[in-house]
Amino acid sequence: MRSLTRRDLPLSGDPSARFLPLLIAFMIFLAALALVGAEALRQTAERWESGLSGQMTVQLPADAEEEAEARTATAVALLQDIPGVTAVEVLDRQEAAALLEPWLGSAAEDPQLPLPVLLTLTVEGQIAEIAAEARARLSDPLPAAQVDDHQEWIGGLLNLTRGLGALAIFLLLLVSAAAVVTVVFVTRTGLAVHRPVIELLHLMGARDAQVAGRFQLHAMRQGLIGGLLGLAAAAACYGLLDWTLAPTTIALLPPFRIGPRLLLLLALLPAIAGMIALLTARITVLRTLARMP
Amino acid sequence: MVRFEDVTLRYGQGPEILTGLSLHLEPGSFHCLVGPSGAGKSSLLKLLYLEQRPSSGRISLFGRDVIRLSRDARAGLRRRIGVVFQDFRLIEHLSVYDNVALPLRLAGEREREIRRKVEELVAWVGLAAQLQADPRTLSGGQQQRVAIARALVGRPNLLVADEPTGSLDDRIGNRLMHLFQELHRNGTTVVLATHNLALVERLGHPVLRLHEGQVLQENKDQGSHDLLQGELP
Ligand SMILES: Nc1ncnc2c1ncn2[C@@H]1O[C@H](COP(=O)(O)OP(=O)(O)O)[C@@H](O)[C@H]1O
Ligand SMILES: [Mg+2]
């Protein structure tokens, strides 16, 4: 016994046919954006953790120039000796003045201006331990030196990012649950319109599988169409955000890349919507038929 | 062909509509089912075309106990029954052609065969010009003829019609009866429910008279006229 096709029994003439894909599109749109958002936050946290944590700074207070040079040399020598420190870079007076120029104007170049010396250390290993060691070694010759390992600052930022990431995942779960419920509900509502047709086919001698087959294919098509629409809208939205924000955020945020795993997951969203619609339609129709003798 | 044994029917916890009803219809016979409105004519027909399960009793169609059969086997029986529903039950957004073709498509016939049979039958009920029309644009009488064509297209062994002349004027009603007579002559068993007693008399076929949940089987020699008296509203 063959199953009915779209040509035998077109179902697209009813209003629910337009309604269902639109609602599914909206759900998939939200799910896709939440998914991308969660991934963006995860990548950001990861990069901050691995990138910035390899650096710390030492600040030597302002002093007369000739003394400063000697002290800087002492500090560099001491710091380079610490195991785990791979490089020490000095931000000298000219560079510091150049950085301050926008705020102080030509006054920044005044040699009388007391400017601190900044040392940037590139380190490998337990950054907190290395910072403690640096403080111990500098305390005797240079008691005024300040060692900053950024850990407090990065830790706060990381916590924030991780919190946002967890929130995005939570939102994604909520949206997914809402999407499933919506697809189920809308598919069932759509089928209610077709109940007379289901009954009629049954009375004409259609087998249950034949009737279910026609309606489940119809629902799957609508789920797929809706899913693709939603995905396209999400892609357009992402493209727009990327285009408008890219020039301003590039310095603040690490570049975000949609990896192959995320891409696959996103591409699967419409298929998932289609499958949910198909299963819902099948179960609903078979249940409806089971009430008929 | 059709055998009911001690069949009762009630809807939910309601009263018994049919109470221990028994009847037997020979293959190739033509029966008119009569009775006042609310007597249970439609209910009896629903048992016949397997829309309803009896509350108790046995029903056999084509020599097979319909209650014991599997769902798919019951579907097979339904395909041998043509039904003209009282409210037609045409599918709205399908053309006349596709409505009539539906039973053949369910049976998996080839499109070429379907086209031949549907066009022939639609012409036979006088709607050749409306083949591609949306049923909603047709008059009540025309819709009914589409429903009849759909009931007949699969060459059913049993044709069941519920008040088929209800919404028709006399002229079309008469033409319809000619169609049914012709089918009957071709060997189809026909059961026709109606409360149009003039029509029943004109047809002169055996009468099944529903009364208090029972059926009285009368044949045409018994002077149906007397028995039918008092049922006119
Ligand atoms: N689906 C149903 N649910 C409950 N009661 C019904 C249903 N169908 C019919 N009835 C009741 O069964 C009785 C017989 O109805 P019906 O078979 O339609 O009679 P007829 O066709 O002879 O007018 C009526 O009292 C009607 O109210
Ligand atoms: Mg009735």
Side-chain angles (χ1 to χ4, degrees):
Chain A
M1 174 136 306
R2 89 192 237 286
S3 56
L4 293 170
T5 66
R6 223 151 73 78
R7 188 189 162 346
D8 300 336
L9 183 58
L11 297 168
S12 43
D14 61 88
S16 71
R18 270 159 304 206
F19 193 53
L20 180 59
L22 257 161
L23 261 176
I24 292 175
F26 188 60
M27 286 298 148
I28 294 300
F29 173 76
L30 288 179
L33 284 190
L35 206 58
V36 170
E39 174 66 8
L41 286 167
R42 195 191 62 76
Q43 282 186 18
T44 306
E46 199 173 66
R47 276 174 212 225
W48 270 338
E49 208 164 21
S50 64
L52 272 184
S53 64
Q55 297 208 314
M56 57 194 227
T57 48
V58 174
Q59 188 181 323
L60 305 176
D63 217 332
E65 199 158 347
E66 57 279 10
E67 256 182 86
E69 254 167 50
R71 282 209 247 176
T72 303
T74 316
V76 170
L78 277 172
L79 291 169
Q80 266 171 341
D81 245 20
I82 301 174
V85 175
T86 54
V88 179
E89 239 183 279
V90 181
L91 188 73
D92 64 22
R93 211 188 147 78
Q94 274 86 40
E95 287 172 294
L99 276 178
L100 290 172
E101 231 249 39
W103 285 275
L104 302 179
S106 56
E109 266 139 60
D110 182 352
Q112 295 303 304
L113 184 73
L115 279 178
V117 176
L118 281 176
L119 306 177
T120 304
L121 277 62
T122 307
V123 298
E124 249 168 42
Q126 271 301 309
I127 200 153
E129 280 170 22
I130 296 170
E133 179 69 25
R135 274 185 208 105
R137 293 199 186 189
L138 291 175
S139 64
D140 187 36
L142 301 163
Q146 284 176 16
V147 178
D148 185 356
D149 58 9
H150 305 308
Q151 287 313 286
E152 224 165 281
W153 184 76
I154 288 173
L157 212 56
L158 268 177
N159 282 344
L160 179 70
T161 314
R162 288 206 188 101
L164 283 176
L167 191 69
I169 298 279
F170 179 66
L171 276 181
L172 184 65
L173 289 179
L174 274 187
V175 169
S176 308
V180 172
V181 172
T182 307
V183 174
V184 168
F185 183 75
V186 177
T187 306
R188 287 177 54 171
T189 313
L191 282 175
V193 176
H194 296 303
R195 201 196 145 92
V197 178
I198 295 174
E199 252 175 43
L200 179 68
L201 291 173
H202 178 69
L203 290 177
M204 281 181 167
R207 293 185 183 181
D208 293 355
Q210 261 182 315
V211 182
R214 179 66 194 97
F215 285 92
Q216 75 197 22
L217 280 183
H218 175 62
M220 188 188 71
R221 248 177 62 90
Q222 292 192 311
L224 263 180
I225 291 172
L228 288 172
L229 273 178
L231 202 58
C237 188
Y238 174 76
L240 198 70
L241 270 181
D242 200 38
W243 180 65
T244 49
L245 291 185
T248 58
T249 52
I250 199 126
L252 291 175
L253 295 173
F256 169 60
R257 216 170 53 82
I258 294 184
R261 270 218 329 253
L262 181 61
L263 207 60
L264 187 70
L265 197 60
L266 287 172
L268 276 178
L269 284 179
I272 293 170
M275 276 317 286
I276 296 170
L278 181 144
L279 284 176
T280 308
R282 179 173 182 82
I283 292 167
T284 309
V285 171
L286 288 180
R287 267 203 202 145
T288 307
L289 287 169
R291 275 184 237 118
M292 305 174 194
Chain B
M1 171 58 85
V2 177
R3 193 179 286 278
F4 281 40
E5 282 172 38
D6 205 16
V7 168
T8 65
L9 175 68
R10 60 197 296 186
Y11 293 104
Q13 297 303 305
E16 282 190 351
I17 310 297
L18 305 175
T19 55
L21 180 153
S22 297
L23 65 82
H24 178 215
L25 309 180
E26 295 287 344
S29 59
F30 191 131
H31 285 87
C32 294
L33 178 63
V34 301
S37 179
K41 300 184 293 297
S42 297
S43 302
L44 176 57
L45 294 188
K46 281 178 185 169
L47 290 174
L48 200 55
Y49 60 78
L50 309 180
E51 180 170 354
Q52 279 290 338
R53 248 184 288 254
S55 306
S56 68
R58 285 161 53 96
I59 296 176
S60 69
L61 287 179
F62 312 109
R64 309 181 69 183
D65 185 336
V66 299
I67 295 147
R68 297 235 185 107
L69 288 177
S70 70
R71 281 184 75 80
D72 280 354
R74 259 201 303 278
L77 287 191
R78 286 193 185 94
R79 286 197 294 278
R80 300 174 63 182
I81 306 172
V83 186
V84 183
F85 300 98
Q86 193 164 0
D87 52 356
F88 316 146
R89 300 206 200 178
L90 300 178
I91 300 179
E92 289 190 340
H93 52 269
L94 287 192
S95 66
V96 167
Y97 178 92
D98 285 326
N99 264 287
V100 175
L102 209 47
L104 301 178
R105 288 187 168 145
L106 281 174
E109 288 209 27
R110 290 159 176 275
E111 197 57 36
R112 207 153 46 95
E113 277 298 289
I114 292 175
R115 174 161 295 279
R116 191 179 61 74
K117 290 180 182 174
V118 171
E119 282 177 354
E120 182 190 311
L121 204 55
V122 170
W124 192 56
V125 297
L127 290 173
Q130 281 83 15
L131 197 62
Q132 294 305 328
D134 183 320
R136 282 169 296 193
T137 65
L138 301 180
S139 73
Q142 288 173 322
Q143 289 186 18
Q144 183 146 39
R145 282 182 273 157
V146 177
I148 289 164
R150 187 183 62 190
L152 298 182
V153 75
R155 301 225 169 270
N157 304 114
L158 173 63
L159 178 71
V160 178
D162 196 352
E163 312 256 8
T165 55
S167 62
L168 298 181
D169 59 45
D170 278 354
R171 193 178 55 81
I172 298 179
N174 280 335
R175 260 187 71 185
L176 192 66
M177 286 311 120
H178 280 298
L179 288 182
F180 285 178
Q181 300 273 45
E182 199 171 320
L183 275 171
H184 168 56
R185 276 195 292 278
N186 288 335
T188 309
T189 309
V190 182
V191 180
L192 188 148
T194 182
H195 56 245
N196 184 342
L197 297 179
L199 173 78
V200 173
E201 236 178 300
R202 218 170 331 116
L203 287 171
H205 287 300
V207 168
L208 299 170
R209 183 165 168 257
L210 256 182
H211 181 69
E212 291 179 350
Q214 303 273 339
V215 71
L216 303 172
Q217 243 174 316
E218 303 148 6
N219 60 47
K220 54 189 166 190
D221 314 320
Q222 273 180 309
S224 56
H225 188 74
D226 291 346
L227 284 158
L228 293 170
Q229 268 180 355
E231 282 181 4
L232 290 162

